Amino acid sequence: DGGITQSPKYLFRKEGQNVTLSCEQNLNHDAMYWYRQDPGQGLRLIYYSQIVNDFQKGDIAEGYSVSREKKESFPLTVTSAQKNPTAFYLCASSIIGSGNTIYFGEGSWLTVV
Amino acid sequence: GQQVMQIPQYQHVQEGEDFTTYCNSSTTLSNIQWYKQRPGGHPVFLIQLVKSGEVKKQKRLTFQFGEAKKNSSLHITATQTTDVGTYFCADDNAGNMLTFGGGTRLMVKP
């Protein structure tokens, strides 16, 4: 069954803690992305990667970090430096190249308590 | 940077009424992709428009790309409760680096 798996679905974090969101895909896609969605708003790009061991900052990378050690995996760490981390986080992947469909995971809800 | 704007932000319709969301940019759009996100769900790809003036249909959904490639629209004829969700346009302006509009949230009253 092909697709993108994100975990956990729901996560609560205390202020000052780092948390890592997992994203795994078995679609054999080279490109992977992390987007943040705030309630009632659009999607903003945090980081993206087009090849293993390489990634670039998106529009709102501050307070986040990523790694791409394997083609299938693109975990996102929300660090304590992220001032307003409560949001819905979406991982996505695609074939590289213009016009290719981006496939999204089911998302992870992060709440800071 | 580039901004993609969508209007309206919200729309309530009675079931059976039509619905349209508009996507606008101050700069020329490359390829427009449309996504639907059901409440509590994740965005799902609907369609892509590439050519100036292009029109594509999917059952009750009609997608248009403006002649100047600065706007696009999605029109739903005779809405149903299954159409509920948020519709996003996105410009594929840098080889899969999508710039998303803010979305239009559609609510349908049965």
Side-chain angles (χ1 to χ4, degrees):
Chain A
D1 193 25
I4 302 172
T5 302
Q6 287 187 240
S7 63
K9 177 74 172 177
Y10 300 96
L11 184 61
F12 295 89
R13 186 195 92 173
K14 292 183 179 179
E15 285 192 26
Q17 286 183 338
N18 294 352
V19 292
T20 298
L21 307 179
S22 169
C23 179
E24 302 279 332
Q25 55 99 358
N26 60 5
L27 300 169
N28 199 33
H29 288 166
D30 286 305
M32 296 189 73
Y33 316 82
W34 275 104
Y35 287 90
R36 170 180 171 144
Q37 186 176 31
D38 292 283
Q41 298 193 25
L43 283 72
R44 293 182 290 169
L45 183 65
I46 305 172
Y47 268 99
Y48 65 98
S49 168
Q50 295 188 323
I51 194 169
V52 172
N53 292 323
D54 189 44
F55 45 83
Q56 285 78 42
K57 294 181 179 180
D59 299 322
I60 55 166
E62 185 175 352
Y64 300 97
S65 66
V66 293
S67 63
R68 188 87 186 274
E69 296 178 1
K70 299 185 300 182
K71 184 176 182 178
E72 305 80 21
S73 179
F74 192 41
L76 173 74
T77 297
V78 184
T79 75
S80 56
Q82 170 49 234
K83 299 303 180 188
N84 297 295
T86 296
F88 187 46
Y89 290 88
L90 286 156
C91 179
S93 72
S94 73
I95 298 170
I96 289 177
S98 181
N100 289 305
T101 303
I102 288 183
Y103 296 86
F104 287 87
E106 294 192 352
S108 294
W109 289 93
L110 173 63
T111 303
V112 174
V113 296
Chain B
Q2 181 195 31
Q3 285 193 323
V4 177
M5 294 149 288
Q6 266 185 271
I7 55 171
Q9 189 174 5
Y10 304 96
Q11 181 98 51
H12 287 85
V13 300
Q14 193 73 40
E15 189 172 22
E17 292 181 339
D18 292 355
F19 159 78
T20 305
T21 172
Y22 300 91
C23 182
N24 300 291
S25 174
S26 57
T27 58
T28 301
L29 299 163
S30 301
N31 304 321
I32 276 288
Q33 297 186 6
W34 284 92
Y35 290 79
K36 177 183 178 180
Q37 184 177 24
R38 295 183 184 276
H42 59 281
V44 175
F45 175 80
L46 293 176
I47 209 159
Q48 177 174 255
L49 304 172
V50 177
K51 299 177 183 175
S52 167
E54 190 170 13
V55 177
K56 288 187 177 180
K57 293 190 176 185
Q58 288 180 350
K59 297 182 180 179
R60 295 178 294 104
L61 277 61
T62 302
F63 304 83
Q64 291 190 328
F65 205 179
E67 292 289 345
K69 297 186 78 173
K70 287 192 173 183
N71 57 74
S72 180
S73 66
L74 158 59
H75 179 83
I76 302 178
T77 304
T79 55
Q80 300 175 359
T81 55
T82 53
D83 296 324
V84 164
T86 302
Y87 294 85
F88 292 98
C89 64
D91 183 30
D92 181 13
N93 55 15
N96 284 130
M97 295 302 109
L98 295 181
T99 300
F100 282 85
T104 296
R105 183 179 172 191
L106 172 63
M107 289 155 279
V108 179
K109 290 179 281 188

